[in-house]
Amino acid sequence: MLNEMSPYILLGFLIAGLLHAFVPPRVMSRHLSGSGWRSVVKAALVGIPLPLCSCGVLPTAVAMKRNGASSAASSSFLIATPQTGVDSITATYSLLGPAFAVVRPVAALVTAFAGGCLVGASEKNYVEGGVCSVDAGGDESTALSLPGKIRKALYYGFFQMVQSIGKWLVIGLVIAALITVCVPSGFFVSLADRPLLAMLAVVVVAVPMYVCATGSIPIALSLMLKGLSPGTALVLLMAGPAANFASVTVISRTMGKRSAAVYLGSIIAGSIAFGLAIDYLLPREWFTAPLAAAHGACHGDVSSLSLFDTVCSAILVGLLVVAFLFQIYNRYKNRHKNFTDMTAEYHIKGMSCAHCKATVEKNLARIEGVTSVTVDLPSGVAVVEGEHDRDAVIEKIREIGFDPVDA
């Protein structure tokens, strides 16, 4: 599985870095200020290729909304973005075949459009307050030279992105391996004649499970090899990455309970609808034919492994190890930092990936008097140095969509 996925994941990391370095955040916000269906479609189309998980997308969506994007467009972005990404689309093609690689972004687009329009319809009877301008991402990349942008792209794609989804990718591969080895071949055969029941069971498991769009692929593959229908596998691919309790909580606080309910309902209803369409309306062989090659990759002998794929796997494993060691180093450094009267710790709730970490560090560093900011993701602690106003830091943490917690 690792060999099959690694070349495409590395390609996805590269494209993700190029998107991050060459597309300024304010460009997206400027085109998503309308409340009509066009802004909803634009938000979904922008979100589909972005490789952000459902936690990493939250600060981006909150900043977009406060920079002028409507709730309808922001909700569409929230629904579409976690389900796909250039990394997950290419990895889907490599393991599950072209049919899944096409249906997956189409399903994300349709569910995002439906959810955004529902939020837009509810906005007609609800007048929101003023929108404050929060520059969460910054446009400093526009001042960089071409070599500088390329360095930024490589750093983001092969370092920050690895930190963001690396853990979930490893978890997905481990779960897939355990399923492949431990689950009996006929375990899901009992639900073969009741696909709706199987899909509902997958939703119950997928929502709290919380894996990224790429990490869900090997799990879906292993379940299909054990007898799960293609439609039920799609439910896992959509609901697993896009829906989780943390996202619903943050969306409820920042955009309202109505938007949170539409967000979750659109993902669940859309995934089941597309799953049933795959099982009953489309040729089954479109989705099962690539499984023969995948089954061989999972159970074949080592001598059949491609040298290029193996090299890519070694590079990917190396990047994962570097990201892991860097996190350990940061944790050690924060624990042994020399604290002064101008150093303060802030416990922050809601940070779950490197994108969240970068957003908090970048915004807190802009507060007057702050000289440096270091965020430790595992503990959720931000160490802020400099003679600064504590209330300003707490207010900024809330503005970018996170919750300050009393130590």
Side-chain angles (χ1 to χ4, degrees):
M1 284 184 179
L2 179 62
N3 266 28
E4 287 288 317
M5 293 177 65
S6 56
Y8 295 91
I9 294 176
L10 292 176
L11 175 62
F13 284 154
L14 176 60
I15 298 175
L18 295 175
L19 285 173
H20 177 76
F22 288 89
V23 181
R26 287 192 177 276
V27 172
M28 291 187 290
S29 298
R30 187 166 62 247
H31 289 280
L32 302 178
S33 58
S35 59
W37 65 269
R38 288 183 178 85
S39 65
V40 172
V41 173
K42 284 182 180 180
L45 292 175
V46 168
I48 285 174
L50 294 181
L52 294 176
C53 60
S54 57
C55 63
V57 73
L58 291 174
T60 306
V62 170
M64 286 169 54
K65 185 175 186 300
R66 288 172 173 162
N67 280 329
S70 64
S71 291
S74 300
S75 298
S76 177
F77 183 82
L78 279 168
I79 295 170
T81 306
Q83 295 185 50
T84 59
V86 289
D87 56 330
S88 64
I89 293 173
T90 53
T92 300
Y93 179 86
S94 69
L95 276 190
L96 301 179
F100 267 114
V102 172
V103 171
R104 197 176 184 187
V106 170
L109 175 62
V110 173
T111 53
F113 176 75
C117 288
L118 288 174
V119 171
S122 67
E123 280 185 323
K124 294 180 180 178
N125 300 319
Y126 178 75
V127 180
E128 294 184 308
V131 178
C132 62
S133 177
V134 179
D135 184 10
D139 288 349
E140 68 274 7
S141 62
T142 58
L144 294 176
S145 62
L146 179 60
K149 289 184 178 181
I150 293 176
R151 286 194 296 269
K152 181 178 180 180
L154 295 176
Y155 176 77
Y156 179 82
F158 294 108
F159 186 73
Q160 290 186 320
M161 273 299 300
V162 175
Q163 286 189 310
S164 295
I165 75 168
K167 178 176 71 174
W168 307 113
L169 176 61
V170 173
I171 290 174
L173 286 169
V174 171
I175 293 175
L178 291 174
I179 291 173
T180 301
V181 174
C182 301
V183 177
S185 299
F187 183 80
F188 291 100
V189 174
S190 60
L191 296 177
D193 297 330
R194 291 171 286 180
L196 181 59
L197 180 60
M199 292 176 189
L200 292 174
V202 167
V203 167
V204 172
V205 174
V207 170
M209 183 173 65
Y210 184 63
V211 294
C212 73
T214 303
S216 65
I217 299 170
I219 301 177
L221 170 62
S222 295
L223 293 177
M224 286 182 65
L225 292 174
K226 295 298 183 179
L228 199 68
S229 72
T232 311
L234 182 70
V235 173
L236 172 67
L237 291 172
M238 294 177 65
N244 66 83
F245 296 133
S247 297
V248 174
T249 301
V250 175
I251 294 169
S252 177
R253 186 182 67 82
T254 58
M255 296 188 182
K257 295 181 179 179
R258 184 185 291 105
S259 295
V262 171
Y263 167 82
L264 186 60
S266 299
I267 293 169
I268 293 175
S271 62
I272 292 177
F274 271 90
L276 292 173
I278 285 179
D279 285 346
Y280 289 103
L281 300 180
L282 298 178
R284 190 178 183 88
E285 57 270 17
W286 286 6
F287 303 91
T288 57
L291 292 184
H295 187 274
C298 295
H299 300 281
D301 59 85
V302 178
S303 62
S304 64
L305 298 179
S306 163
L307 176 61
F308 175 75
D309 292 346
T310 304
V311 171
C312 289
S313 297
I315 295 173
L316 180 59
V317 170
L319 292 173
L320 291 169
V321 170
V322 170
F324 177 70
L325 293 177
F326 184 79
Q327 290 177 350
I328 294 178
Y329 169 74
N330 268 346
R331 193 181 309 175
Y332 174 83
K333 185 174 66 173
N334 287 337
R335 288 178 179 175
H336 294 80
K337 184 182 287 291
N338 293 323
F339 286 88
T340 66
D341 293 338
M342 294 189 298
T343 304
E345 284 189 350
Y346 298 87
H347 293 257
I348 303 174
K349 183 179 179 181
M351 298 186 299
S352 303
C353 68
H355 183 85
C356 304
K357 175 179 181 293
T359 300
V360 171
E361 288 179 340
K362 186 176 297 184
N363 281 272
L364 296 188
R366 292 173 177 159
I367 296 176
E368 183 179 357
V370 173
T371 57
S372 70
V373 181
T374 305
V375 172
D376 179 52
L377 271 179
S379 63
V381 173
V383 178
V384 180
E385 296 187 42
E387 192 172 351
H388 62 276
D389 183 358
R390 182 178 180 85
D391 292 337
V393 172
I394 293 176
E395 181 181 356
K396 178 61 69 174
I397 292 172
R398 291 196 177 103
E399 281 183 0
I400 58 178
F402 298 105
D403 286 318
V405 181
D406 293 334

